Amino acid sequence: MKIRIKLIATVSELEKKYNSPCRFWLGTHLVIGVADADSMEAVLRSSENMDKSQHHTFFSDFIGGVFLAEGRHVRKHYFTFLIQLLWKFLSFFRIAEITMERSSKVWLHPNIVFNNTLLGNRKNELAASILNFVKSVIKTRRDIKTNEKQGISEAEVKSPYKKFVRPYLDSMLDYAEEEKLTEDRLALEVNDLMVAGSDTSAVASSHALVMLGMDEELQDRVYAELREIFGDSDRPATLEDLAMMTQLEMVVKETVRITCPPHMARTVERDIILPAKDRIIPTGATVYMLLYNLHRNPKYWSHPHEFHPDHFLPEYEATRPKFSYLPFSYGLRICPGYKYGVYSIKTVLSTVLRKFKVKSNLDKNNLNFRLSIMLELADGYPVSLEPRVPSE
C-alpha cells in the first residue's frame, strides 16, 4: 500500500520515528501530531477544543455548515440526516486535491498569494460552478414550496431535481429563513452535506467492490450470508435485513478503516493534558490527529496494512480501545450522517452482490492511494460484473 500525498507521508514517518505525540512546525505554526488511542481520547473528549484548524478555512469558499462551523455553533447544524442526494460533483475532487496541495505549501496559505496563482484561479472557477449548481437546486425547491403554499400541487411543477431534494433541503430553507441567511451562505451550508453525503459513500462502496473482487473467498462468505437472508427473493433490502448483514458490515468497517480521511486537525483553545508522561498540547497550537497511523497501528490491528475484515469480529473489537477506530470522528464533531452512510453502502453492496459476481484485476499488494476528502485508489476502481446463476 502506497500513499502519494507528500504531507501525510512525511508526517506519518515523523510520528513513526518520534512516536505519538510528536512536534513539528508548518511554517511558523506549531503542530502537535497524535496517533495513539489515549491521546485521541484526551483531545476529542475536550468540550473546549472543537474548532477546526485554520487550514480548514481553505475550503470555506465552497462549503460551510457543520464542516467548518465553530464548536459552539455545531449543534444547530445537526438536522435529521435523511439526505437523498447521491450524485457526484466531479469538480469537487479536483478542488480537494488543490486544497491539500495548498495546505502543504506554506507560501500558498495567504489568500492574496494563492488567489493570484494559476492553481488559485482554477479552484475559484471550480468552486463557482459547484455553488451555481447548488443555487439552482435551492431555487427549484423554493419555487415548489412557494407553489404548494399557493395551492399548486408539486406534480404540476416541472423540475429535474424533485425526487432528489427532500426532506433535507426543506429543513435548510426553513433554517435559512429563521437565521436570515444570504443565498450565498445558504448555498455553502447545503453544499457541505451534499458533498459529504455523496463522495464518502461512493468512495467506500467502490473500494469495497474492488477488494471483494480481488478476494473470491471473502466474497463467497458475504454472498452466503445474503442467501441466508434473502433466499431466491429479489425483494429490496429492509432495515431489518441490513442489520442482519454482519459479514458485510465487517467489510464496510474495514473499508472505512482504510479509506477514511487520513487526518483531523483542531485549534487548541485551552491546554490539553495528554495521559502519556503528562505532556501538554499548549493553547494556540494545532493538534493534528493522524488517523492514517492510528488505523494502521500494529498495537491495535493484527493486519494493519492489509484489507482484513476479521479485524471487526466481536472478540477482536472487544479488545481494542474505543478511540483506536475513529473514521467518523467523535462527540459533537462526529459525522452527522455516519449511520446513513453505513446503511447506504450496505444497500449498494448487497444489491450488487445478490445479482453479480464481482472481479477486479488490481493487485491487492500493490495499491496506490491519492487524497480527496477520503483516500481513493489512484488507479480507479476497475471491476467486472458477471451475472449470477439463479441456483447459486
Side-chain angles (χ1 to χ4, degrees), residues 112-141:
I112 193 170
V113 175
F114 179 72
N115 289 332
N116 284 284
T117 64
L118 291 176
L119 207 60
N121 289 335
R122 179 58 177 152
K123 184 199 169 186
N124 292 337
E125 290 173 3
L126 293 170
S129 70
I130 289 176
L131 290 178
N132 286 337
F133 171 74
V134 173
K135 288 178 182 178
S136 73
V137 176
I138 292 171
K139 181 181 183 304
T140 297
R141 186 57 193 166

Side-chain angles (χ1 to χ4, degrees), residues 36-232:
D36 64 282
D38 291 340
S39 296
M40 294 285 185
E41 181 173 6
V43 172
L44 293 174
R45 284 196 184 280
S46 170
S47 61
E48 299 170 323
N49 294 291
M50 294 194 301
D51 288 356
K52 294 196 173 182
S53 73
Q54 63 177 11
H55 305 99
H56 286 82
T57 62
F58 297 158
F59 289 95
S60 63
D61 53 353
F62 70 102
I63 55 177
V66 71
F67 183 79
L68 293 177
E70 293 182 359
R72 63 182 181 275
H73 297 312
V74 168
R75 246 182 229 283
K76 68 182 181 182
H77 291 281
Y78 277 62
F79 296 100
T80 301
F81 200 91
L82 297 173
I83 300 179
Q84 300 172 20
L85 304 165
L86 283 175
W87 63 83
K88 216 180 242 294
F89 297 128
L90 297 179
S91 300
F92 173 74
F93 305 133
R94 180 57 185 147
I95 288 181
E97 291 175 353
I98 292 173
T99 302
M100 292 312 303
E101 183 175 346
R102 181 187 183 188
S103 296
S104 65
K105 297 177 177 178
V106 294
W107 59 90
L108 292 179
H109 287 189
N111 289 333
I112 193 170
V113 175
F114 179 72
N115 289 332
N116 284 284
T117 64
L118 291 176
L119 207 60
N121 289 335
R122 179 58 177 152
K123 184 199 169 186
N124 292 337
E125 290 173 3
L126 293 170
S129 70
I130 289 176
L131 290 178
N132 286 337
F133 171 74
V134 173
K135 288 178 182 178
S136 73
V137 176
I138 292 171
K139 181 181 183 304
T140 297
R141 186 57 193 166
R142 183 178 280 125
D143 290 345
I144 291 172
K145 286 173 67 67
T146 299
N147 287 325
E148 286 176 343
K149 291 179 180 178
Q150 295 172 352
I152 303 173
S153 71
E154 188 173 326
E156 299 175 47
V157 181
K158 294 182 179 180
S159 167
Y161 308 118
K162 278 195 302 182
K163 62 183 179 180
F164 295 116
V165 292
R166 294 184 302 175
Y168 167 69
L169 192 48
D170 284 0
S171 298
M172 285 303 303
L173 287 171
D174 292 341
Y175 169 70
E177 187 173 340
E178 293 170 6
E179 298 292 326
K180 296 180 173 55
L181 298 184
T182 66
E183 200 73 1
D184 285 344
R185 184 68 236 171
L186 175 59
L188 290 172
E189 300 256 359
V190 171
N191 196 38
D192 187 0
L193 291 183
M194 288 174 73
V195 167
S198 59
D199 179 54
T200 53
S201 295
V203 170
S205 299
S206 300
H207 189 90
L209 285 174
V210 167
M211 301 311 295
L212 289 165
M214 293 188 291
D215 191 333
E216 185 175 356
E217 181 181 350
L218 174 60
Q219 186 175 166
D220 288 345
R221 280 167 46 191
V222 173
Y223 181 65
E225 177 181 73
L226 295 175
R227 289 282 295 174
E228 289 181 8
I229 296 171
F230 296 99
D232 293 324

Side-chain angles (χ1 to χ4, degrees), residues 31 36 74 122 124 146 152 162 215 244 257 282 286 303 316 320 338 375 389:
V31 180
D36 64 282
V74 168
R122 179 58 177 152
N124 292 337
T146 299
I152 303 173
K162 278 195 302 182
D215 191 333
M244 296 170 63
R257 177 182 76 89
T286 291
H303 299 72
Y316 295 139
R320 279 195 301 271
Y338 78 94
L375 288 180
V389 178

